[in-house]
Amino acid sequence: MNSRRPPTGFSLLLVDDDPNLLISLKRIFSREPYRVETAETGEEALRLMEAAPFEAVVADLRMPGMDGLELLGRIREKYPETEVILLTGHGGVKDAVAAMRAGALDFLEKPFEPEAMQAKMARVFEVRRLKEE
């Protein structure tokens, strides 16, 4: 399997309180052969995951209510196989370190180029492929 392409049936959940960013993220992945869902809150994301777990989640670090680190912690508890990438518009080394220590696979600062997000997802595919082997 080519690690740059997602496996058929791969599912991705995008979580951000900015609906415009969700539209942009969904557009980045709309040509890929997998299911993409969106949620504007951590609570909504967890409800969607209860209905059908996702292989990967891309979530904003700072959201009202449940923030990205809390969401990450809950995903780690209930869905340990799900890979998580956290996003932030207020980036920095401190946030990146906190995200990685909490179990995020990766971290990306906003604004980002579509190619940067695609590269992060390619890493998710590679990590999952290696775990399956």
Side-chain angles (χ1 to χ4, degrees):
M1 173 193 320
N2 182 343
S3 65
R4 303 291 292 175
R5 298 290 303 165
T8 302
F10 190 87
S11 58
L12 172 63
L13 177 59
L14 308 169
V15 188
D16 199 296
D17 59 321
D18 178 352
N20 291 324
L21 182 64
L22 288 177
I23 291 168
S24 295
L25 283 170
K26 196 164 185 176
R27 191 174 300 130
I28 290 171
F29 298 110
S30 66
R31 290 178 295 249
E32 303 293 348
Y34 50 83
R35 176 173 62 102
V36 180
E37 300 285 335
T38 61
E40 291 187 19
T41 66
E43 294 83 3
E44 181 183 0
L46 290 175
R47 282 192 301 276
L48 288 170
M49 291 190 78
E50 285 173 17
F54 292 82
E55 278 83 18
V57 174
V58 175
D60 192 11
L61 184 63
R62 291 192 178 34
M63 297 181 287
M66 183 186 307
D67 69 12
L69 283 179
E70 184 179 349
L71 176 61
L72 172 61
R74 293 205 187 172
I75 290 170
R76 284 284 145 262
E77 286 174 18
K78 290 186 80 172
Y79 311 99
E81 297 299 313
T82 299
E83 301 296 347
V84 179
I85 296 174
L86 289 178
L87 306 173
T88 186
H90 315 281
V93 173
K94 185 177 175 182
D95 286 337
V97 169
M100 302 306 270
R101 282 190 178 152
L105 175 66
D106 216 330
F107 182 83
L108 188 61
E109 286 186 63
K110 298 180 205 174
F112 52 82
E113 296 295 323
E115 295 80 15
M117 178 56 75
Q118 290 166 327
K120 299 291 184 186
M121 288 310 297
R123 181 163 181 234
V124 169
F125 308 141
E126 181 64 14
V127 166
R128 290 192 65 84
R129 185 186 65 77
L130 291 171
K131 284 181 179 178
E132 289 170 5
E133 288 178 359

